[in-house]
Amino acid sequence: MNPIRRRRLILILLGLSAVGIASALVLLALRQNIQHFVSPSDVDAGLAEAGRRIRIGGIVEEGSLRRASDSLDVHFVVTDRFKTLPVHFRGILPDLFREGQSVVATGVLRDRQLFEAEEVLAKHDENYIPAEVADAIARGKAKQAEAQQ
Amino acid sequence: MHPLWLWFHKTGSPPMFYRLAGKLMPWFWALAVIIGVIGLYLGLVRAPADYLQGESARIMYIHVPSAWMSMFIFAFMAFCGALALIWHVKISEVLMISAAPIGMGFTVVTLITGSLWGRPTWGTYWEWDARMTSELVLLFLYFGVQGLYSAFDDRRKGARAAAILALIGLVNLPIIHYSVEWWNTLHQGSSIKLLSGKSTIHPSMLWPLLLMAIATKFWFVASLLHRARGDVLEMESGKDWVQQMLPGAAESADGKAP
């Protein structure tokens, strides 16, 4: 390679590393701000301020969903399997909302034991399973449970 | 000269490229259409519905290959940009600029299909999470590359300026890819893990997706050759080989009526 081209190549590589390092530093500095939501553990650790609008995310704890019979009020518990946070929401939940699935909720943290949600979104996970296969797995699990009893 | 370099220089010369691209193009179009039709049929008709999302999961057969292409084409542009900056290869400037609108198209398709999928799945068309925001930034980078190129009167200067932006924009690609791992995002993590081999997608749904990924690659190459040929003609309109092929090309390129 002739010296001029070599110099251009080195210049490009240096430029790329400089841009790369600069962006890495910016992203590292803004780490908390880029997080789309905080987890119940973060709330428990005091990372989220009470009274401010934030987003929380986690799994809807199995068996925690309670719907009011005369209004759209729902109560459920969001967990990251370490800590839990009770959530209250008034409105229509997305179709994919169910116990054991992840959600992201926007709202106000009243205190460490109550999150007042204004919007609840369902978060989909990376598992793609055909409906028939999922049914078969569920049937198999039910059979196994029966056999154990 | 090394035979490989000789071949490279010969193929890279505009008249050779024009002829070769014209010969290869129909094959790439044909493969793209055939594989694409099979992939779409398998994905939209034959593949099973998802246990949770139902039929709306089929959007992924368009969304995921488009998203891959939006990033792949940007990397290709940056690679051509580096060749253009270091070796001043004319053809790589042409290829870089011809790739920009194709990549832009795939980025738009990614954002729109993602938004249409997000509404029934998440309950929203758009959220400013790291994955979606960085993909939107990619779209603006495509606009930037295209705009910067057009802003120069001298096309070769414009191509070099655009190449620098393409190289800088390269930083965004790992951010898009790893955004779902580095930060909490609404967007889910990758289902397909080629390196670890532990994909969390059922094989019956994976195959149509991979076919679509191959089809979009062929589509890109065909479309790229198509655009680049036109660009080469315009760039070389004053040269003898174009004059012999298309008499009067120089006048029309200067904006005068032939």
Side-chain angles (χ1 to χ4, degrees), chain B residues 4 28 41 51 59 62 87 107 115 119 131 190 202 214 222 225 236:
Chain B
L4 191 71
F28 281 104
Y41 171 71
Y51 78 113
I59 294 176
I62 315 266
W87 282 279
T107 313
S115 169
R119 181 66 211 170
R131 175 52 79 77
S190 315
H202 195 264
I214 296 168
L225 293 178
E236 302 269 300

Side-chain angles (χ1 to χ4, degrees), chain B residues 79-102:
Chain B
F79 175 74
C80 290
L83 288 186
L85 285 174
I86 300 170
W87 282 279
H88 291 190
V89 187
K90 252 189 202 173
I91 271 309
S92 73
E93 291 168 15
V94 170
L95 287 176
M96 178 188 75
I97 287 308
S98 305
I102 311 170

Side-chain angles (χ1 to χ4, degrees), chain B residues 219-233:
Chain B
W219 181 277
F220 164 62
V221 175
S223 183
L224 177 72
L225 293 178
H226 209 135
R227 300 188 69 90
R229 277 183 102 216
D231 226 29
V232 164
L233 270 193

Side-chain angles (χ1 to χ4, degrees), chain A residues 9-107:
Chain A
L9 177 66
I10 291 169
L11 214 61
I12 286 177
L13 290 179
L14 281 179
L16 274 185
S17 2
V19 173
I21 292 167
S23 353
L25 288 176
V26 168
L27 292 178
L28 215 60
L30 296 176
R31 201 173 32 203
Q32 276 310 316
N33 304 46
I34 301 171
Q35 301 289 4
H36 195 60
F37 53 81
V38 295
S39 67
S41 292
D42 296 336
V43 172
D44 190 73
L47 283 178
E49 221 176 294
R52 286 222 357 228
R53 254 178 78 91
I54 56 161
R55 280 193 211 93
I56 58 137
I59 302 164
V60 181
E61 197 164 58
E62 288 83 354
S64 72
L65 181 66
R66 282 182 291 119
R67 290 178 199 268
S69 54
D70 55 346
S71 70
L72 288 173
D73 284 305
V74 283
H75 289 268
F76 54 89
V77 175
V78 167
T79 174
D80 56 4
R81 303 298 187 208
F82 298 105
K83 300 285 176 189
T84 58
L85 178 65
V87 175
H88 167 248
F89 175 64
R90 177 177 296 173
I92 297 165
L93 292 166
D95 291 347
L96 257 69
F97 180 94
R98 58 196 72 188
E99 291 177 349
Q101 287 285 329
S102 303
V103 287
V104 175
T106 313

Side-chain angles (χ1 to χ4, degrees), chain A residues 109-137:
Chain A
L109 189 68
R110 290 277 165 250
D111 54 57
R112 285 189 196 175
Q113 279 315 310
L114 181 64
F115 185 77
E116 197 76 49
E118 292 152 16
E119 186 192 37
V120 175
L121 300 178
K123 179 169 158 37
H124 187 260
D125 60 20
E126 66 268 32
N127 296 312
Y128 280 77
I129 308 168
E132 292 85 10
V133 175
D135 284 347
I137 292 172

